[in-house]
Amino acid sequence: MPPPRTRGTALRQRLAELRGPGVPAKALDARALAALAANPGCKRRALLDGAGVNKAALAGAMGSPSAFGQSQFALTRGNAFEAKVKADGGAELLRLVHERLDPGAEPPASASVPDLTASGPEGRTARTALALREATGPARGTWTLLDHPMLALEVAGSPAFLEPDAVVVHPDGTWTVVEIKSFPMLDGSADPAKVGAAARQAAVYVLALEEVAARLDPAPKVRQRVLLVCPKDFSNLPTASAVDVRKQRAVTSRQLARLTRVQDIADALPEGVCFSPELPAEQLTAAVAAVPATYAPECLAACELAFHCRDRARAAGAVTSLGRSVRADLGGLSRVDDVLAAARGEAGDPEDPAVAALRRAARLRAEALGAMCP
């Protein structure tokens, strides 16, 4: 007799049906989570990411391939730099942690590097939690380096398994997230946009690490400053900077809490919806259209379906294609045609501040053009 079908089992089966027969789930990483948290109103991304759908393959199958992603050269260079940083049991990495974040502690002459291998993400998550508990015990008082630990974070009712580059346990029992990136620090500073993206990604790891800490008694402190390690200037030598992620952590936590549960989105779909890239483009387009999206130009740098969603938003005349700030200023006007009609005085409530501002702008434009063309 088969075991009873629980809600969790039913959800996993439903998500597998959405991916398609035999299609493996794509892991939801911290970069995707940070992007998802930046656009919590997009049910399309929440469902596809929660179901483990490969959005790049889906976009390609619909004829709107993704145009971004790291090159193989960049990946190889990044892996080589990370290996250099972690060589000799992480001696250089721990030196940077001590120098930038904990100079008052005993210098890390040696450190424990526990074995985190286990079967499957659930097994690795449990092994990581055990290693953290052992490293934080009152009798320890030494440095511990966890190389590529596995953490779990519930997102929209579905677990996401995350793998930070490293987590360091200090002699005082506090925990630090380490992010290793291959972009350079020139004269002690890096590209602000790249640092911001790394901070948002690290904030996701901090949230997941806090959930592990909350299950211990007493709960160890997860440091709100992470260590960002990058190549120094144009060399391959590592340097580091302490990055405060309190703001990013608070924003990410709030946005993830606002996400609609994946179960609720899946329950609202028509019967037979499937996102397998093996299906015809027309069927996939209809399946994607069945899930509401909230497109913004920022999606172009963070989501594989952004070009598809942008084309649909433009075809529908949606003001979301103009950006979030413009959309917020226009109030209840959601289509470009409605905005133009309101500006011309053909539609809209004159008492609406957005309509009044549009008509005033139209008058000023007409006056300026009239003055230029007597």
Side-chain angles (χ1 to χ4, degrees), residues 46-99:
L47 177 68
L48 296 176
D49 282 346
V53 174
N54 187 327
K55 298 194 299 299
L58 177 61
M62 290 191 298
S64 302
S66 169
F68 68 91
Q70 280 190 301
S71 67
Q72 190 60 44
F73 173 75
L75 289 172
T76 302
R77 183 183 59 188
N79 291 337
F81 177 68
E82 181 177 337
K84 181 180 180 67
V85 171
K86 293 179 178 177
D88 300 324
E92 180 64 13
L93 174 57
L94 291 169
R95 185 192 68 79
L96 291 170
V97 172
H98 176 263
E99 178 184 293

Side-chain angles (χ1 to χ4, degrees), residues 326-350:
V326 176
R327 175 69 186 88
D329 290 340
L330 292 174
L333 301 173
S334 59
R335 298 179 67 254
V336 174
D337 289 345
D338 297 334
V339 173
L340 296 176
R344 292 192 295 261
E346 300 170 357
D349 182 1

Side-chain angles (χ1 to χ4, degrees), residues 125-270:
T125 300
R127 182 68 189 89
T128 296
L130 176 61
L132 285 168
R133 183 166 65 247
E134 292 174 345
T136 313
R140 298 294 296 177
T142 58
W143 293 89
T144 301
L145 172 63
L146 277 68
D147 185 6
H148 283 288
M150 183 68 75
L151 306 172
L153 184 67
E154 184 172 296
V155 181
S158 180
F161 295 100
L162 311 171
E163 188 177 0
D165 292 327
V167 170
V168 172
V169 180
H170 297 243
D172 63 0
T174 56
W175 302 350
T176 289
V177 170
V178 177
E179 270 291 277
I180 302 174
K181 298 296 185 184
S182 59
F183 56 80
M185 282 191 185
L186 305 176
D187 294 328
S189 62
D191 183 341
K194 293 181 178 179
V195 173
R200 289 189 293 273
Q201 186 174 338
V204 176
Y205 296 137
V206 169
L207 284 172
L209 206 55
E210 286 176 344
E211 291 200 358
V212 180
R215 294 193 290 270
L216 302 182
D217 187 22
K221 176 186 175 183
V222 179
R223 293 180 177 237
Q224 302 297 298
R225 290 203 304 163
V226 305
L227 190 75
L228 176 62
V229 182
C230 299
K232 182 179 181 180
D233 298 326
F234 297 101
S235 71
N236 200 35
L237 298 175
T239 187
S241 175
V243 180
D244 191 329
V245 297
R246 285 177 295 181
K247 179 180 178 181
Q248 290 86 349
R249 180 215 165 277
V251 170
T252 302
S253 177
R254 183 170 64 251
Q255 299 291 60
L256 290 178
R258 289 176 53 197
L259 288 173
T260 305
R261 292 179 62 86
V262 170
Q263 177 78 62
D264 299 334
I265 303 173
D267 289 344
L269 292 179

